[in-house]
Amino acid sequence: MLTGKCIHPELMRVVSLLGHGDKVLIADGNYPLAQRSGDAQKVYLGLTAGQPTVTDVLKALQSEINIEAVTLMDTADGTEPPIFDEFRAMLPGVPVSKLARWAYYDECCKDGVRLAISTGEQRTFANILITVGVA
């Protein structure tokens, strides 16, 4: 029986195959997952507008993997959306980097991105690219 928070069969299948340095994208409902996640295994979790949120999925994945670093999509005007503070609060001590929109899309299409998750999140710039740490 699973003891972590994540019970989604497809997510758990892919998570079980992740190794150090692999990446996981948790994307908001606006993110073009089909076009901007390369060959990553895609899982569409959006049930209704707003559910689940990116932070809901992040919390579940935190119970299953160690997170070494994260990359966020930078806004064009340099302001930080409130969700960035939520990410930092959920991931104390985890290094956070930011990439401009098109560079972020390119990063999410690279071979090391193994899993891409679409959520029902409605907040903008609520995308987080996780680098898996060691066990």
Side-chain angles (χ1 to χ4, degrees), residues 31 71-73 98-110 129:
Y31 190 92
T71 305
L72 306 176
M73 184 187 290
K98 295 185 271 184
L99 291 173
R101 179 180 174 198
W102 295 106
Y104 192 87
Y105 287 155
D106 290 344
E107 187 68 22
C108 291
C109 289
K110 291 184 177 177
L129 184 62

Side-chain angles (χ1 to χ4, degrees), residues 26-31 45-57 83 86-87 118-127:
I26 307 173
D28 63 34
N30 301 306
Y31 190 92
L45 292 182
L47 179 63
T48 62
Q51 292 187 356
T53 65
V54 167
T55 51
D56 290 337
V57 176
I83 194 163
E86 287 184 52
F87 290 148
S118 178
T119 67
E121 180 70 66
Q122 293 186 304
R123 293 174 285 183
T124 57
F125 293 94
N127 306 296

Side-chain angles (χ1 to χ4, degrees), residues 3-8 11-12 15 26 45 52-67 90 117 130:
T3 59
K5 293 182 181 187
C6 188
I7 62 169
H8 189 280
L11 287 181
M12 290 306 297
V15 166
I26 307 173
L45 292 182
T53 65
V54 167
T55 51
D56 290 337
V57 176
L58 176 59
K59 188 178 204 178
L61 286 181
Q62 277 183 287
S63 74
E64 307 299 335
I65 60 172
N66 288 321
I67 299 174
M90 292 178 73
I117 305 164
I130 297 166

